[in-house]
Amino acid sequence: MPYDFLSDLLVIEVAQFGPDSLGGYLADLGARVIKVEPPVTGDPLRYSGPLGAGGADGFSYMHLRWNRGKESLELDLQSEEGCAAFRTLAQKADVVIEGMRAGVLDRLGLGFEDLRRDNPRLVFCSISGMGRSGPYKTMASHGWSFDAIGGIGQPAGDAIGKYDGQQSAPVGMHAMGLHGALGVVAAVHGARRTSEGALIEIAAVESAAHWLPDVLEPLLNPEATVSRPGYLDAKGRMRFWARMDNYRARDGKLIFLQSLTDKSWQALLKAIERPDLQAIYDREPQNGMEDSEVAAALTAIFATRDRADWLERFAEVNAAAVPVNSLAEVVTDPHIVARGNTYDVALPDGPSLTLMGSPIRIEGQTFSAALAPTLGQHSESIRAEFGLE
């Protein structure tokens, strides 16, 4: 079962692609999320991407994640009947999510001002790529574009988002749902206290831009920003960077060393049996090359044993070092496995799938979720329940 904290929350969602995640987070926490979809086409996320679950024509894993636990209602919002049915749902809802280009529901007469007349406590969340205002508001946007504008998607190698051969996540696309869920829960709490709803706006490009406060805020305050003496070396690296870096073991696998504190550094020196390395940091005068010398020594030392051997040694003395997992290693990592990060769900006419659960842990509750719905799967029951035409 999903968690039950939001089990009294009714959410009506009109969303596609990344904005689906907002309703997904609410559903994971127990909210009832009715996903309103256009007939025939539905949400394109269902079959997006190169992989299908259970077959080439199977659901995408993004759909299985972000639309799990939701109900699907086919509704033609281009028709008077569809709009009337949507208003009926919104009258009883706590939350309406507009997860399209901002202003779509306004143009249909289903925006916040239209719906609040019949439901003053309604929380309306518009979640989009660019937001409801500004020169980019009508621009189409997806995935990596949010990070590009937000300054955190600088190309590395042949394409944006590439990092050492691994798939890195577009921050804005994933952060927008988290920011939206936080805003919605806060607004619902406020609405229940004051009987006044709210219009919340989330723009993925801003979710990306807000991700790096130590970078953007100094640029906003150049006259007030002063460098701390001795914190960075001549190349702009943090002092003791050699104690916070990646090292390759004999078998080619990487270990991330995080021995920044003196306690963890001394534990590492014990594990590698090289207490003499401390002398590099203790000598006088300092010449700024200490970390480069330590890094060279550690590179040679780590190359003498396989990663598993090193990690076992580090665990014995509580030295701070972890494996740099490949994506395939993540799902078999003993820590990830031991903490129960997965649950099983069966496809209607296919195999059972093992999917990643929620990273939110609630004492006494175990997370699982109903399979993401087929298009219109719950249309009949929802229409009967709410008396829709």
Side-chain angles (χ1 to χ4, degrees):
M1 295 179 60
Y3 298 138
D4 58 8
F5 282 147
L6 301 181
S7 59
D8 62 343
L9 201 67
L10 176 59
V11 179
I12 310 302
E13 172 192 276
V14 184
Q16 295 182 353
F17 294 115
D20 287 339
S21 64
L22 165 52
Y25 289 122
L26 299 176
D28 281 355
L29 290 170
R32 183 184 183 188
V33 180
I34 297 177
K35 183 176 183 64
V36 173
E37 303 187 68
V40 184
T41 57
D43 184 350
L45 187 71
R46 270 192 180 80
Y47 304 105
S48 66
L51 302 176
D57 58 351
F59 285 155
S60 72
Y61 285 96
M62 296 289 275
H63 172 61
L64 292 171
R65 168 72 63 84
W66 285 345
N67 287 325
R68 65 188 177 192
K70 299 179 184 178
E71 301 171 42
S72 174
L73 168 66
E74 284 186 278
L75 209 59
D76 182 5
L77 296 182
Q78 300 298 323
S79 68
E80 292 185 6
E81 296 80 2
C83 288
F86 190 89
R87 291 190 190 94
T88 298
L89 292 171
Q91 288 172 13
K92 300 181 179 181
D94 299 286
V95 179
V96 165
I97 297 172
E98 177 192 55
M100 313 286 284
R101 202 174 302 185
V104 167
L105 292 184
D106 283 318
R107 292 192 290 274
L108 295 172
L110 302 174
F112 175 61
E113 295 299 333
D114 302 298
L115 299 178
R116 73 184 304 191
R117 287 194 287 268
D118 294 323
N119 185 355
R121 297 176 61 180
L122 181 69
V123 171
F124 186 104
C125 184
S126 172
I127 178 169
S128 64
M130 300 298 180
R132 293 166 58 90
S133 62
Y136 298 163
K137 68 179 182 180
T138 61
M139 185 184 297
S141 57
H142 302 284
W144 298 111
S145 66
F146 313 137
D147 292 5
I149 297 173
I152 58 176
Q154 297 297 316
D158 63 347
I160 194 168
K162 297 290 187 181
Y163 175 74
D164 196 25
Q166 296 220 49
Q167 175 69 49
S168 56
V171 172
M173 187 177 78
H174 288 272
M176 66 193 299
L178 290 170
H179 291 154
L182 176 61
V184 164
V185 169
V188 168
H189 178 75
R192 291 179 175 178
R193 187 181 70 251
T194 66
S195 297
E196 288 290 328
L199 171 59
I200 298 173
E201 183 184 0
I202 304 293
V205 65
E206 292 167 357
S207 288
H210 281 71
W211 208 250
L212 298 174
D214 279 356
V215 176
L216 292 187
E217 266 80 346
L219 296 175
L220 291 170
N221 302 281
E223 300 301 324
T225 302
V226 181
S227 297
R228 302 186 194 280
Y231 193 86
L232 302 178
D233 67 13
K235 293 185 177 181
R237 297 171 297 191
M238 184 175 67
R239 191 163 181 262
F240 299 137
W241 61 263
R243 289 151 54 166
M244 289 279 288
D245 208 347
N246 294 316
Y247 294 94
R248 197 170 298 279
R250 182 173 60 189
D251 55 6
K253 296 182 178 181
L254 285 172
I255 297 172
F256 178 64
L257 187 63
Q258 45 182 342
S259 298
L260 183 62
T261 67
D262 287 337
K263 181 179 179 180
S264 59
W265 172 240
Q266 294 304 319
L268 177 78
L269 295 182
K270 180 179 180 180
I272 65 176
E273 300 177 346
R274 287 292 304 273
D276 60 291
L277 293 183
Q278 180 61 42
I280 298 176
Y281 287 122
D282 291 340
R283 74 186 179 203
E284 293 291 346
Q286 298 286 295
N287 63 13
M289 293 298 295
E290 293 78 21
D291 281 303
S292 294
E293 293 178 43
V294 170
L298 291 177
T299 297
I301 293 167
F302 274 77
T304 63
R305 297 180 181 275
D306 291 347
R307 184 171 71 178
D309 188 1
W310 280 126
L311 293 177
E312 184 177 350
R313 284 170 172 259
F314 297 153
E316 291 172 355
V317 297
N318 198 26
V322 296
V324 179
N325 285 329
S326 68
L327 294 176
E329 288 170 331
V330 171
V331 296
T332 59
D333 184 285
H335 185 78
I336 300 294
V337 173
R339 285 179 51 79
N341 278 284
T342 62
Y343 69 99
D344 295 330
V345 65
L347 293 172
D349 297 310
S352 176
L353 298 177
T354 299
L355 302 175
M356 297 292 288
S358 171
I360 299 171
R361 301 305 178 94
I362 300 174
E363 186 69 25
Q365 296 190 42
T366 301
F367 179 83
S368 65
L371 187 71
T374 57
L375 176 59
Q377 180 178 337
H378 305 91
S379 292
E380 185 176 346
S381 60
I382 292 171
R383 289 180 178 278
E385 177 183 355
F386 289 91
L388 306 181
E389 295 294 330

